[in-house]
Amino acid sequence: MLATLVAVPVTVAVAGFTVARLSPEPPTAAPGPSPTSLRPQSGAPVEMAAPALAERPGVVCRALVSQLPATVRELAQRPVTAGPEQNAAYGDPALTVACGGPEPTIEPTADVWTVNRVCWYAAERPDATVLTTLDRETAVTVTVPRAYEGPLQWLSPISDAVVAAVPSGGESPAGCRG
């Protein structure tokens, strides 16, 4: 009888603790806007040039565009007016990706940056930072409007696509060798 008097309360306590631990958490409020939420943007096509590409750069650019993400950070991809096989645009104002243009000529002392194994050179314009690959078979240019702070921070998902689709093109500038 003494064993029963001890066992019953212990069993009830263990069952209560078990039920409490296995119970689902109370529902939380619906998430509000966050820094990674998609920004409202225009759905209109972005004006872009589409110069004719030789066969090999055309193949490389089509491969790159197929690897580009649907979003870059919180910017959703938008249609382009020309060259969807070599161009892409995101957000409003549009961050653009153009494949197949000329690689810039830079001074040996120019600042260059490596983002996810891709070497980039940045040229500043009043309205945007223009970043171009320096170590790829076919150049890729990303234009980041001034509205988006930290232009290098926008390159990560694009650099991943470049690594996946655009072969290295020889010697990297000294600042990108690591």
Side-chain angles (χ1 to χ4, degrees):
M1 181 129 160
L2 182 60
T4 304
L5 287 175
V6 172
V8 170
V10 169
T11 304
V12 169
V14 168
F17 289 129
T18 303
V19 168
R21 300 272 279 155
L22 296 177
S23 296
E25 294 293 321
T28 58
S34 71
T36 57
S37 296
L38 294 180
R39 295 180 184 199
Q41 67 183 38
S42 169
V46 175
E47 186 75 33
M48 292 188 74
L53 299 175
E55 183 179 348
R56 177 65 184 163
V59 168
V60 170
C61 290
R62 283 189 298 281
L64 171 65
V65 170
S66 76
Q67 295 295 312
L68 289 171
T71 61
V72 172
R73 293 177 66 181
E74 71 268 16
L75 305 178
Q77 195 167 30
R78 293 176 57 186
V80 294
T81 58
E85 69 283 351
Q86 68 197 64
N87 294 322
Y90 297 87
D92 190 10
L95 178 150
T96 61
V97 179
C99 181
E103 188 174 284
T105 302
I106 65 168
E107 297 295 322
T109 58
D111 288 333
V112 293
W113 291 271
T114 300
V115 178
N116 294 8
R117 302 186 333 253
V118 178
C119 183
W120 296 92
Y121 170 72
E124 299 297 332
R125 292 191 332 212
D127 61 336
T129 300
V130 179
L131 299 127
T132 306
T133 59
L134 296 174
D135 62 344
R136 297 291 148 171
E137 178 182 303
T138 300
V140 177
T141 300
V142 177
T143 303
V144 181
R146 291 269 174 242
Y148 307 128
E149 293 182 18
L152 292 174
Q153 296 176 18
W154 297 89
L155 292 178
S156 185
I158 297 166
S159 289
D160 291 343
V162 169
V163 168
V166 184
S168 293
E171 199 64 29
S172 295
C176 285
R177 292 184 210 136

